[in-house]
Amino acid sequence: MNTEAKKVYFHTFGCQMNVYDTGKMRAQLTADGFEETDVPEEADLVLLNTCSIREKAVDKMLSNLGEHRRRKREGQKLTIGIAGCVAQERGKELMERFPDVDLVFGPDGVPAVRDLVSAAMEGKRVLDTDFLDLDNYPFVADVDPSDHGVSAFVTIQKGCDNKCTFCIVPSTRGIEVSRPAAEIVQETRDLVARGVQEIVLIGQNVNSYGLKRADCPTFAQLLYQVAEVPGVERIRYTTSHPRDMGDDVMQAYRDLPQLTSHLHLPVQSGSNKILRRMKRYYTRERFLEVVDKLRDARPDIQLTTDIIVGFADETDEDFEETMTLLDEVGFVGSFSFKYSPRPGTPALKMKWSVPPEVASERLTRYQDRQRELSLAWHRGLEGQTVDILVEGPSRHDEGVVCGRTSTHAMINVPGDLSLVGKTLPARVTRGFTHSARGELV
């Protein structure tokens, strides 16, 4: 397709999987001659990569879409595409509701984005929400041209086989498929050749990687393979399911210094009753057992989590169990939300008894306590000398760069961009809620 240097504007909503998918679309379209622009008024093509996990993300997308549609009505020659989970979930509705949208496709349309965009820019209205063949799923090998920083995502699977009652992902991303290990290792090599030092393995449930394929290693074995790639300094991964955290992964924490001392381990609730209603298939006790094993394998590991408040008939007692779990584990950070009913999920059929104002009060209380714990963690670093991998300039302070510890603490230190990509010792001078300040030693 000869695009004659047409310009594309991407807007990504939601999780790391969407960020990664946008990167794969960027790789394919720039190979076809598109130039990326950060200015939507310059674009010939706008692609919104959408998230449906919460209603707020959908509302943000629709508001943004309105701006692009307005410019098109005012005469800008523009092709508008909607990708991602909202497109998968509401594809036909979007095409009917917005006649000036030219292209709608789900996550499984990413490998074919060249052809989909070509058809849309030739004047056809395109809707593609079919799931691809699982036996020969075409994971995109093209490396995102913007992946030349310190850290980069590498997908290891698509889809999810879990049936959490609150979650829409299985219906928007389909059945779980593991990516061949050789492709993962090769993409890692390609990224390291571009200067990437931290590899973040991503999937909806990374711990179940390879369990459905006889020719795949287990997730723990994959960690060892990635760690063997020369130049990989750090390895992180997300998202883990506590049910599937095995002893072989614990052993990897003992064996692999590249594995960072930070893990995002979503628990969702501290109440066994609510966990059953969510169909999480573990108990509070099992979760704490996993935490103990992780800390035995890696004593300095720090944990972050996901929390949903106000789910189903959550009582005050159920919520108190979430609060006590927060303190018992000592999470250093949380993504916490009020439950947002999602169409097509089993939770919609459940009995609901938590008024919105009660859920809001609970969320505020949880977040207030989490901020206290996060602040205490960062203040506990004061006076310590820690190694940081410098990632880039500070967003707020000129002459300051930011770097992360293995435990994922963000440390801001005086310095310039020549330090990016270097692992350096820094003495922490002051801790804040979300980061700390320091000075290079």
Side-chain angles (χ1 to χ4, degrees), residues 265-432:
L265 193 63
V267 65
Q268 307 299 355
S269 174
S271 162
N272 284 338
K273 183 192 83 176
I274 299 301
L275 290 172
R276 284 194 300 272
R277 289 182 175 268
M278 290 178 169
K279 286 195 175 180
R280 292 292 287 173
Y281 297 111
Y282 56 82
T283 62
R284 174 194 180 104
E285 292 73 24
R286 164 61 180 161
F287 184 86
L288 290 171
E289 179 185 343
V290 170
V291 171
D292 287 342
K293 287 184 176 181
L294 284 165
R295 287 175 171 161
D296 180 64
R298 184 69 67 86
D300 67 336
I301 198 166
Q302 301 295 334
L303 301 175
T304 53
T305 197
D306 293 341
I307 292 290
I308 298 173
V309 303
F311 184 79
D313 57 349
E314 180 188 70
T315 63
D316 288 341
E317 291 75 18
D318 294 324
F319 175 67
E320 287 302 324
E321 291 187 58
T322 297
M323 292 298 295
T324 59
L325 184 70
L326 171 61
D327 282 326
E328 189 168 351
V329 176
F331 293 114
V332 297
S334 301
F335 294 108
S336 53
F337 308 93
K338 288 191 300 182
Y339 173 69
S340 177
R342 310 308 300 130
T345 59
L348 289 180
K349 300 178 182 179
M350 292 183 179
K351 174 184 176 183
W352 294 94
S353 61
V354 183
E357 63 273 14
V358 172
S360 295
E361 290 170 0
R362 289 175 183 172
L363 181 62
T364 297
R365 185 178 161 205
Y366 181 90
Q367 291 177 338
D368 286 346
R369 180 57 183 151
Q370 180 62 81
R371 279 190 288 270
E372 292 174 355
L373 293 177
S374 300
L375 176 61
W377 175 49
H378 286 109
R379 285 187 172 170
L381 297 174
E382 292 176 358
Q384 295 185 32
T385 298
V386 294
D387 287 336
I388 62 171
L389 176 58
V390 181
E391 296 182 349
S394 168
R395 294 181 180 179
H396 308 292
D397 300 311
E398 190 173 347
V400 174
V401 293
C402 56
R404 290 195 185 273
T405 65
S406 176
T407 58
H408 213 51
M410 176 65 76
I411 314 296
N412 295 288
V413 298
D416 58 39
L417 296 184
S418 67
L419 302 177
V420 173
K422 296 181 179 179
T423 300
L424 302 168
R427 186 175 69 86
V428 180
T429 56
R430 188 176 180 186
F432 302 94

Side-chain angles (χ1 to χ4, degrees), residues 56-344:
K56 187 175 181 180
V58 178
D59 291 342
K60 285 183 178 179
M61 181 278 292
L62 292 174
S63 175
N64 187 264
L65 174 63
E67 291 298 311
H68 302 302
R69 294 176 60 233
R70 176 187 57 77
R71 287 197 304 277
K72 188 171 183 177
R73 290 194 302 269
E74 292 174 353
Q76 180 176 346
K77 189 176 180 181
L78 181 62
T79 300
I80 300 176
I82 303 175
C85 292
V86 177
Q88 183 68 42
E89 175 196 357
R90 307 183 186 182
K92 186 177 179 181
E93 173 194 337
L94 292 170
M95 294 292 277
E96 293 175 349
R97 182 178 174 185
F98 305 115
D100 44 5
V101 169
D102 307 284
L103 169 62
V104 175
F105 61 100
D108 274 19
V110 170
V113 70
R114 288 183 173 103
D115 293 335
L116 297 175
V117 165
S118 177
M121 296 193 79
E122 289 171 0
K124 301 175 184 177
R125 295 194 78 211
V126 180
L127 172 63
D128 184 354
T129 54
D130 293 334
F131 288 114
L132 297 176
D133 178 23
L134 301 181
D135 292 332
N136 299 287
Y137 191 84
F139 289 94
V140 180
D142 308 62
V143 175
D144 182 354
S146 68
D147 276 339
H148 48 71
V150 172
S151 180
F153 295 131
V154 175
T155 193
I156 68 170
Q157 63 185 181
K158 84 99 184 177
C160 185
D161 289 347
N162 289 306
K163 303 297 181 183
C164 301
T165 57
F166 56 82
C167 186
I168 200 171
V169 166
S171 62
T172 58
R173 287 191 173 267
I175 296 172
E176 182 179 297
V177 182
S178 293
R179 186 183 185 188
E183 291 185 15
I184 297 168
V185 171
Q186 185 57 53
E187 184 166 345
T188 298
R189 294 183 186 278
D190 293 341
L191 289 167
V192 169
R194 292 168 174 253
V196 171
Q197 294 157 277
E198 179 183 72
I199 298 297
V200 186
L201 304 176
I202 58 173
Q204 299 298 335
N205 178 16
V206 294
N207 299 101
S208 62
Y209 171 82
L211 297 184
K212 292 165 63 176
R213 292 185 57 151
D215 60 343
C216 262
T218 65
F219 177 60
Q221 291 168 339
L222 178 67
L223 291 174
Y224 286 87
Q225 291 186 24
V226 173
E228 289 175 357
V229 175
V232 173
E233 185 171 333
R234 291 183 178 180
I235 300 172
R236 290 194 289 121
Y237 58 88
T238 189
T239 299
S240 286
H241 196 298
R243 178 189 64 177
D244 298 320
M245 283 291 293
D247 290 340
D248 54 352
V249 175
M250 310 297 180
Q251 187 60 45
Y253 277 102
R254 294 185 176 91
D255 295 342
L256 300 178
Q258 294 94 333
L259 265 180
T260 61
S261 295
H262 164 258
L263 176 60
H264 187 72
L265 193 63
V267 65
Q268 307 299 355
S269 174
S271 162
N272 284 338
K273 183 192 83 176
I274 299 301
L275 290 172
R276 284 194 300 272
R277 289 182 175 268
M278 290 178 169
K279 286 195 175 180
R280 292 292 287 173
Y281 297 111
Y282 56 82
T283 62
R284 174 194 180 104
E285 292 73 24
R286 164 61 180 161
F287 184 86
L288 290 171
E289 179 185 343
V290 170
V291 171
D292 287 342
K293 287 184 176 181
L294 284 165
R295 287 175 171 161
D296 180 64
R298 184 69 67 86
D300 67 336
I301 198 166
Q302 301 295 334
L303 301 175
T304 53
T305 197
D306 293 341
I307 292 290
I308 298 173
V309 303
F311 184 79
D313 57 349
E314 180 188 70
T315 63
D316 288 341
E317 291 75 18
D318 294 324
F319 175 67
E320 287 302 324
E321 291 187 58
T322 297
M323 292 298 295
T324 59
L325 184 70
L326 171 61
D327 282 326
E328 189 168 351
V329 176
F331 293 114
V332 297
S334 301
F335 294 108
S336 53
F337 308 93
K338 288 191 300 182
Y339 173 69
S340 177
R342 310 308 300 130

